[in-house]
Amino acid sequence: MGIVRDAPRQYAWIALMWIRAALAYPASFWIMTVSSAIITGLDFVGIAIMFATVDTLGAFGLREIALLYGASGFALGLADMAIGSVEQIGQHVRTGSLDTMMTRPVPLLVQVCADKFALRRLGRISQSVIVFAWAGLPVDWTPARAAVALMMVVAGFGIFFSFFVAFSCIQFWTADASEFANAFTYGGNTMTQYPLTIFPRDVVVSLTFLLPVAFVNWYPCLFILGREDPFGMPSWFAFLSPVVAVGLLAVSALAWRTGVRHYTSTGS
């Protein structure tokens, strides 16, 4: 229990070290942060330009899609900043630095996730928050909808968190497959930026029950927008995101433990 209790403090100290290193060069930090916000923002600019020729996409308007875009981007941005470094686990295996980490009195997952903590990723997060806030202006906010919105961000963070860890663990066996994890993390974010009505029903079913990325934003946003599910899924799916997140986090923890136990060092 002591290890679990100390993990957040240890993570914060390592992350703070990298933040101080990044802020030692403030011009470079702000250029990278603003550039990140602009580059990721071009995704939404592309969507907005598309609406110059169409009124709806999959029966959803621009502000409704912006709500989906902002919610998914916000959750992914938080997870990417907090734990995105776990994608470099293959590099740690190849260079042998994972062996060094395993000798330190800090949980291995904490060290891998906090390593090279990139505060510049605030650029992606701030851009998503701005889009989400703009999309939420016409929403008739009630306490229930505000609670679901907060739950959506927290659960979305947990879902992407689990994706980063679980799919990065394959590098314990392959040593280099970071793109495999990207297909599910950044790929999942790209799919959920759009209304799922543009995909066939079989794809939506897969994104609900097989790779449940639909719970990041689709079902909660339908509740916030006061819309029925076009595919006839139960309305209570809007409140299921935390349960899905906890389940996926348990699976990712099991994948991490299995990967670490399989690891036999580069010298073996």
Side-chain angles (χ1 to χ4, degrees):
M1 287 299 295
I3 295 176
V4 175
R5 186 177 60 251
D6 294 339
R9 180 177 57 83
Q10 294 166 334
Y11 175 93
W13 276 112
I14 298 174
L16 182 61
M17 178 188 70
W18 287 104
I19 291 173
R20 294 180 62 183
L23 295 179
Y25 303 93
S28 175
F29 168 77
W30 284 111
I31 290 174
M32 294 292 289
T33 302
V34 174
S35 298
S36 174
I38 294 174
I39 292 173
T40 55
L42 289 177
D43 289 342
F44 185 71
V45 171
I47 296 174
I49 292 175
M50 182 170 55
F51 270 84
T53 56
V54 300
D55 295 327
T56 61
L57 179 65
F60 281 70
L62 178 58
R63 281 189 186 263
E64 292 173 314
I65 293 177
L67 195 70
L68 292 167
Y69 175 96
S72 180
F74 189 18
L76 176 71
L78 290 174
D80 191 20
M81 184 171 68
I83 199 175
S85 296
V86 76
E87 289 185 327
Q88 304 303 317
I89 188 70
Q91 181 179 350
H92 291 303
V93 170
R94 294 193 303 275
T95 61
S97 57
L98 197 66
D99 292 1
T100 305
M101 291 182 174
M102 296 180 80
T103 64
R104 296 170 181 163
V106 178
L108 183 61
L109 183 59
V110 170
Q111 295 184 65
V112 173
C113 293
D115 185 50
K116 297 179 182 177
F117 182 89
L119 189 63
R120 66 177 182 279
R121 289 168 177 156
L122 280 175
R124 170 193 285 270
I125 297 173
S126 59
Q127 175 264 336
S128 299
V129 170
I130 291 172
V131 173
F132 185 84
W134 176 75
L137 289 177
V139 173
D140 181 19
W141 289 102
T142 63
R145 286 175 173 165
V148 169
L150 178 61
M151 175 198 71
M152 172 175 62
V153 173
V154 176
F157 168 78
I159 292 173
F160 278 124
F161 187 106
S162 64
F163 284 0
F164 271 112
V165 174
F167 292 114
S168 293
C169 285
I170 195 173
Q171 296 180 76
F172 281 113
W173 286 268
T174 64
D176 186 13
S178 58
E179 297 302 323
F180 178 80
N182 290 344
F184 296 95
T185 51
Y186 299 108
N189 174 59
T190 300
M191 294 191 75
T192 52
Q193 287 177 349
Y194 298 92
L196 297 188
T197 48
I198 67 174
F199 301 112
R201 178 180 176 80
D202 291 342
V203 173
V204 177
V205 171
S206 298
L207 296 179
T208 300
F209 299 105
L210 184 60
L211 186 72
V213 72
F215 288 96
V216 169
N217 63 346
W218 174 246
Y219 294 112
C221 278
L222 289 178
F223 177 82
I224 293 172
L225 295 171
R227 298 185 59 139
E228 296 290 335
D229 191 320
F231 299 98
M233 296 293 183
S235 59
W236 51 266
F237 271 24
F239 311 103
L240 206 58
S241 297
V243 178
V244 173
V246 171
L248 289 175
L249 286 170
V251 172
S252 66
L254 179 62
W256 177 260
R257 289 177 61 87
T258 303
V260 172
R261 288 178 177 177
H262 169 81
Y263 178 66
T264 54
S265 173
T266 54
S268 62

